[in-house]
C-alpha cells in the first residue's frame, strides 16, 4: 500500500488531517503524520520537524501555502510520487517546483478520494 505522509497533522479530532489519518489507516495505508505538536492519532505518533521518512508515495497537505514554504526542501527531498493539495492548501509555487522534479500534483480532497476509490 502507498505510504502517505500527512503534513499538518493534528490531535484535534475535528480537523481534516486527523480524520484523513484515521481513514487512511482504516483503508490499510501506512501513514506518517507530521505536525507541530506532539501527540498521537489512534496510536500513531505525530512526528515533529522534518523526520527522515523513506519510501513516501504520497504527501497530503493540510498546511496553508504560507506555512508550506518552510517545508519546500523537505517535501521535495522526500521524492514522493505525488502531492495532494487539499482544499485551502493550493500553492502554485510548490506545484511548479514539484512538477519540475517529476512529482505529480493533485488538487483534491484526500477524504473524497478515499470515499470514491480514487486514492
Amino acid at each position: 500500500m502507498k505510504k502517505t505522509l500527512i503534513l499538518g497533522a493534528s490531535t484535534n479530532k475535528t480537523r481534516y488531517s486527523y480524520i484523513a489519518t484515521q481513514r487512511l489507516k482504516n483503508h490499510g495505508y501506512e501513514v506518517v503524520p507530521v505536525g507541530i505538536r506532539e501527540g498521537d492519532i489512534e496510536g500513531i505518533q505525530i512526528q515533529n520537524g522534518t523526520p527522515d521518512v523513506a519510501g513516501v508515495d504520497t504527501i497530503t497537505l493540510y498546511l496553508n501555502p504560507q506555512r508550506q514554504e518552510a517545508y519546500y526542501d523537505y517535501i521535495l527531498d522526500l521524492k514522493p510520487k505525488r502531492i495532494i493539495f487539499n482544499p485551502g492548501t493550493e500553492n502554485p509555487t510548490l506545484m511548479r517546483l514539484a512538477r519540475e522534479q517529476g512529482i505529480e500534483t493533485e488538487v483534491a480532497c484526500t477524504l473524497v478520494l478515499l470515499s470514491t476509490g480514487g486514492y
Side-chain angles (χ1 to χ4, degrees):
M1 293 298 263
K2 301 169 186 167
K3 183 186 287 187
T4 301
L5 188 138
I6 298 164
L7 192 55
S10 170
T11 58
N12 182 337
K13 293 180 181 186
T14 64
R15 300 289 239 178
Y16 290 118
S17 63
Y18 184 99
I19 297 165
T21 301
Q22 195 177 43
R23 292 204 185 147
L24 284 161
K25 176 185 170 187
N26 292 342
H27 277 83
Y29 292 96
E30 181 179 350
V31 291
V32 180
V34 176
I36 58 172
R37 292 187 184 84
E38 292 183 7
D40 72 273
I41 300 171
E42 294 192 358
I44 303 170
Q45 192 66 35
I46 296 174
Q47 298 187 41
N48 302 115
T50 55
D52 187 21
V53 182
V56 174
D57 179 87
T58 301
I59 296 175
T60 184
L61 295 174
Y62 289 95
L63 294 175
N64 70 44
Q66 294 76 26
R67 291 190 180 223
Q68 292 170 24
E69 288 179 32
Y71 293 95
Y72 284 1
D73 289 338
Y74 176 64
I75 291 167
L76 299 172
D77 288 346
L78 287 173
K79 299 184 184 349
K81 291 181 182 168
R82 72 174 170 167
I83 301 170
I84 298 173
F85 291 83
N86 287 281
T89 69
E90 300 89 344
N91 182 340
T93 301
L94 181 54
M95 288 177 184
R96 179 183 49 78
L97 292 170
R99 287 182 187 135
E100 287 172 357
Q101 293 195 19
I103 300 168
E104 176 188 339
T105 62
E106 192 171 350
V107 176
C109 175
T110 297
L111 298 175
V112 171
L113 291 173
L114 283 169
S115 68
T116 60
Y119 190 79

